[in-house]
Amino acid sequence: MSQTVAVPTDLVDLRGRDLLTDVDLGRDGVAAVLTRASALKAARRAGSEQQRLVGRCAALLFEKPSTRTRTAAQAALIQQGGAAIPLEQGSSQVGSKESVADTAAVLSRMCDLIIFRGAAQQTVVDLAAHATVPVINALTDTWHPTQSLADVMTMREFTTSVEPIRLAYLGDARNNVATSLLVTSGLLGLDLRIGAPAALWPEQWAIDLAQDLAAAAGGRLSLTEDPMAAVRGVEFVHTDVWVSMGEPESVWSARVEALSEYQVTAQTMAATGRSDAKFMHCLPAFHDRDTDIGAQVCAATGRVSLEVTDEVFSSPASIVFEQAENRLHTLKALFQLLLIG
Ligand code: CP
Ligand code: NVA
């Protein structure tokens, strides 16, 4: 017999809002998404999920590849009784024959939500400016705000400490995932330590924004070039790929040289000083040679893995697939809150 799990009523009204950067929902808005996501996850586990988005549809305007974000968005809508319409790069008129503004106007007449993944943050800003339905940033070169929602949900599920959650991020700290994790950590008052070479630290505007948010929320943010100092005492060690989508292949060799010391290894996990420390990664990850790019870069550099060893990735400390699953629950919560409350 299935158990009934009540979906809580949230304090903030997010209906009609856009999610273009990590600050857009505010601290209460993020809390509302996370609360709803946990309730939806429990309901799905219990077999008592209620379909609340019947007949709703989202346009998925994706310039870049995706496994998790696209699947989570489509699965969330299907499970809620709605649908998503994939508009892959080159399969619609946008860019070649139709402007972003006109595309936003057209999609708004047919869909309830526009979800964009692409390179320029300005594109998603322009979409939102011309759309009359909520627009969600599903990753740009600058931000990945739906990822950080799942990251925080996952850390809250696994933390055994009193708040604030203590986490470290090692690797390319200027990328979209790092920027979103930094700013969300500031917004929620977490204790984030970034370990990266100074040349790959977040852009100054992102550090300043996160520091201001952290000061207001009682959080703590620090940056160091010493990876072992960065992870000391943390419960969660995050990393991401060393070269992101859209960056030229030619940067791989310099990036591997710059970041080798920041690879997450068994020694890194031991340096946390916590036997219960967890490893996190937004995925996809180069933890072995079983991908075309991983095999090529490893062959060229004489390595067997890149940002994380397979030993850590495949260890009980790794919660990457729980983190991936939470993309589903957080996106579903976000869709409900933006569309119907
Ligand atoms: N983490 C993440 O966004 O994965 P995809 O690129 O597969 O969507
Ligand atoms: N930083 C990575 C994240 C992938 C989900 C990229 O942009 O390729």
Side-chain angles (χ1 to χ4, degrees):
M1 201 174 76
S2 69
Q3 187 191 334
T4 303
V5 179
V7 175
T9 307
D10 302 290
L11 297 173
V12 283
D13 186 355
L14 298 179
R15 285 175 298 173
R17 301 263 285 269
D18 299 317
L19 175 60
L20 307 184
T21 79
D22 286 70
V23 296
D24 291 351
L25 303 180
R27 193 177 173 159
D28 291 345
V30 171
V33 172
L34 298 179
T35 302
R36 180 68 61 87
S38 297
L40 286 164
K41 184 173 184 174
R44 183 157 180 76
R45 293 269 198 274
S48 62
E49 178 171 348
Q50 305 291 315
Q51 291 194 330
R52 298 183 65 226
L53 297 175
V54 175
R56 308 286 177 138
C57 78
L60 292 182
L61 198 56
F62 275 34
E63 290 176 355
K64 287 182 175 182
S66 168
T67 297
R68 275 143 293 274
T69 313
R70 185 211 327 258
T71 309
Q74 289 196 255
L77 280 157
I78 290 167
Q79 289 162 14
Q80 282 288 297
I85 299 166
L87 297 166
E88 305 293 340
Q89 177 75 337
S91 73
S92 73
Q93 313 282 17
V94 68
S96 53
K97 289 174 71 180
E98 194 158 33
S99 67
V100 167
D102 292 356
T103 302
V106 171
L107 296 179
S108 297
R109 301 283 181 127
M110 302 177 185
C111 296
D112 303 287
L113 196 59
I114 299 171
I115 305 175
F116 173 79
R117 167 173 286 209
Q121 179 70 14
Q122 193 57 47
T123 307
V124 76
V125 170
D126 291 344
L127 272 173
H130 294 93
T132 55
V133 298
V135 174
I136 295 175
N137 177 355
L139 179 147
T140 60
D141 290 347
T142 316
W143 299 95
H144 197 0
T146 64
Q147 179 67 48
S148 48
L149 292 172
D151 297 345
V152 176
M153 178 177 180
T154 311
M155 289 188 285
R156 288 202 174 153
E157 286 175 341
F158 281 88
T159 187
T160 56
S161 304
V162 288
E163 301 263 338
I165 289 170
R166 275 180 280 174
L167 66 151
Y169 176 95
L170 299 186
D172 177 11
R174 300 159 321 148
N175 76 16
N176 40 21
V177 167
T179 302
S180 281
L181 194 61
L182 170 67
V183 172
T184 285
S185 294
L187 184 70
L188 302 183
L190 309 187
D191 180 344
L192 169 68
R193 299 106 190 257
I194 288 180
L200 294 174
W201 282 3
E203 291 187 44
Q204 196 56 48
W205 64 262
I207 297 174
D208 293 345
L209 172 60
Q211 295 285 18
D212 286 350
L213 290 165
R220 181 174 173 275
L221 303 173
S222 61
L223 297 126
T224 172
E225 290 198 289
D226 180 345
M228 298 303 167
V231 301
R232 198 171 300 132
V234 303
E235 246 187 312
F236 300 97
V237 178
H238 289 248
T239 191
D240 187 14
V241 290
W242 288 345
V243 175
S244 285
M245 292 183 278
E247 293 196 282
E249 267 180 44
S250 56
V251 304
W252 266 111
S253 59
R255 205 61 67 72
V256 169
E257 199 177 325
L259 290 174
S260 286
E261 188 191 339
Y262 300 86
Q263 184 187 44
V264 180
T265 65
Q267 289 69 38
T268 317
M269 297 305 289
T272 62
R274 295 184 60 129
S275 57
D276 62 349
K278 300 284 186 282
F279 171 70
M280 298 182 68
H281 192 309
C282 63
L283 305 181
F286 294 117
H287 57 98
D288 57 24
R289 295 170 174 234
D290 289 348
T291 61
D292 293 344
I293 295 174
Q296 273 166 30
V297 177
C298 286
T301 56
R303 303 177 62 92
V304 292
S305 58
L306 298 172
E307 70 272 12
V308 56
T309 61
D310 192 51
E311 183 185 10
V312 170
F313 186 90
S314 305
S315 72
S318 176
I319 54 172
V320 296
F321 297 119
E322 282 81 0
Q323 187 182 359
E325 181 190 326
N326 284 338
R327 300 298 311 283
L328 169 71
H329 308 300
T330 46
L331 277 182
K332 193 184 288 177
L334 184 64
F335 296 163
Q336 283 193 351
L337 289 165
L338 298 186
L339 293 177
I340 55 170

